[in-house]
Every structure is written in structure tokens, then in C-alpha cells.
Amino acid sequence: MSASLKFNSSSAPSRASLQPPPMSQPLRIGIAVFFVLEALLAFAPIAVLGPAFGWPASLRNAAAQQLTAIAAAPPALALGYGLYLLYSLAIAPVAIVVAWRVANCKGPMAAMIVAFGTLSAITRGLGILRWLTVMPVLATSYAVADGASDVAARSTIETVFTAINSYGGGIGELFGVALFGGLWLLVAMIAALTSRRLPAWLAGYGLIVAVLQLALFMPAFGMASPVSVAIAVSLFSLWLIAFAGHLVFKSHQERNTTLAARSA
């Protein structure tokens, strides 16, 4: 009987097993800084593309207007979307860090977090690349074809621009931001609530953000999304900052605990 009781006691989940994996203070601070920079980087395209093109409202302009604007300011286009590409690709390491924090990078949930996060980064990047590769070429061709005899050529360029824009937007926004972006965060927050390796408020807020991101996929089924991409991205940036604050607070808390133990 005693052996049985001993076995049951040792097999019960310990408090330590519910704690996040050990992380040194410099590493915590470094990750926190990275998360804050990633959150701020989400607004860099607005700072660059906004004054130059009136972005993101300009994305709703006619093809002729967008092509003319791109041809007039290629450096701003390259810088703005280059920063946007950097932000998008950094989603992959963000997902890996979160998987490490909430699931210790082990098990099927961690694998799904990393897989969906990586797919989100790749599809976002593929969607953005059109602005750094194809669109400037089309804009240059459109600017050159300004004679009366080139009306047909301009019309063709406008058609190609619209088609590529719709396709790239579908890959980047529907799959990158909405589907895969929402799925990796959803799985991560479920893992966090299950493992209790994040505060309940932080995991709960992340869960709301994940659902809002998934709602952005509704246009794929012919339904309007109740939330805009700008709002969803802004709320996700706030979650990144909150996650960074949690890491810093835990680092400060653990340091005080260590100092108190040494002085005892």
C-alpha cells in the first residue's frame, strides 16, 4: 500500500512542471526588446507609405492611380514594403519563442505553433514581394506608355496589376495574416491556458486577438469581416508588448527572489 501511495505521489504533476522553461535574465530582456521592436515595426509601413501614397487607403484606389503613384516614388515604395517584409518574416521567430515559452517546444501543440507561425511568415512575405518586384516594373511600363497609341497597352497593364494585386493580397492577408496568423496564436494561447505558463489575462487577450485575426478570413467565404486588418494588427502589436512586459516583470521578480534567498 505504501509503495502504491509513493508511486501515485511521484506521478502527480508537480508545480515545477507547470512553470515555463528556465530563461536567463539577459535572454528575457533581449526577447522582450525584440518583441517590442516587432510590435513597433508593424507601424513603420504607415510612417513611410502613408505620406508618400496615402497608404493603406490608397490600396482601394484605381489601378491607374496606384501605378502612377508608384512610378513617382519608387524609393518610398521599396523602403516601406521592405520594412513590412522584415516585420512579416519576424513572425516566425516570434512564434518559436512563444512555443518555447508555453510548450517548451515539445509535443504536437508546439509543433503546430511553429508550423502555423512559419507558414504565416512565408505567406505574408510572398504577398508583400509583389510590391518590391512586379509592381515597380508594371509602374515603369505604365509611365512609359503615355502616348495616345498606347491606350491598349495601359489598359493591359492595369488589368495585370489588378490581377496580381488581388492574388498577392489573397496570399498575404487571407492566408498570412488571417488564417495562419490566427491559427498559430490560437493554438499558442490554448497551450498557455492548459499549461498555465502565461498569466490568464495575457493568454485570454491573446485568444481574443487570435479569433479576430481568424475573422479576417471570412471574405474567402463571401462574408464581410467584422474587423479590419489594421485593427487586428494593432491589437496583436499590443499583445506583443504585453508579452514583453510579462517577461521583464518575471525577470525582475525572479531576481528579487534570488537576492532575498541569498541574504536569508
Side-chain angles (χ1 to χ4, degrees), residues 203-220:
Y205 174 59
L207 202 60
I208 293 173
V209 175
V211 171
L212 292 178
Q213 284 185 310
L214 288 171
L216 294 173
F217 195 70
M218 292 173 63

Side-chain angles (χ1 to χ4, degrees), residues 45-231:
I46 297 178
V48 177
L49 299 174
F53 305 103
W55 190 91
S58 61
L59 296 174
R60 295 189 293 269
N61 292 343
Q65 290 178 272
Q66 294 193 58
L67 285 164
T68 302
I70 292 171
L77 184 81
L79 176 60
Y81 278 105
L83 292 172
Y84 201 9
L85 179 63
L86 181 62
Y87 162 79
S88 298
L89 295 179
I91 292 294
V94 165
I96 292 171
V97 169
V98 174
W100 178 37
R101 184 69 178 171
V102 304
N104 204 18
C105 279
K106 296 178 181 179
M109 297 195 82
M112 285 191 290
I113 295 169
V114 173
F116 287 141
T118 303
L119 286 172
S120 175
I122 292 173
T123 48
R124 286 172 191 242
L126 289 174
I128 293 170
L129 277 177
R130 73 189 188 275
W131 297 104
L132 298 172
T133 56
V134 182
M135 299 314 200
V137 175
L138 291 176
T140 301
S141 299
Y142 192 81
V144 172
D146 59 354
S149 60
D150 293 325
V151 174
R154 280 199 156 198
S155 178
T156 300
I157 293 172
E158 290 174 12
T159 301
V160 173
F161 176 91
T162 302
I164 293 176
N165 200 24
S166 298
Y167 181 71
I171 293 176
E173 292 184 7
L174 289 179
F175 285 95
V177 178
L179 183 61
F180 295 130
L183 283 176
W184 85 256
L185 188 58
L186 178 67
V187 175
M189 294 305 95
I190 292 174
L193 290 171
T194 303
S195 65
R196 289 181 284 176
R197 288 179 172 176
L198 285 183
W201 66 267
L202 182 58
Y205 174 59
L207 202 60
I208 293 173
V209 175
V211 171
L212 292 178
Q213 284 185 310
L214 288 171
L216 294 173
F217 195 70
M218 292 173 63
F221 301 101
M223 297 180 289
S225 171
V227 63
S228 67
V229 174
I231 292 176

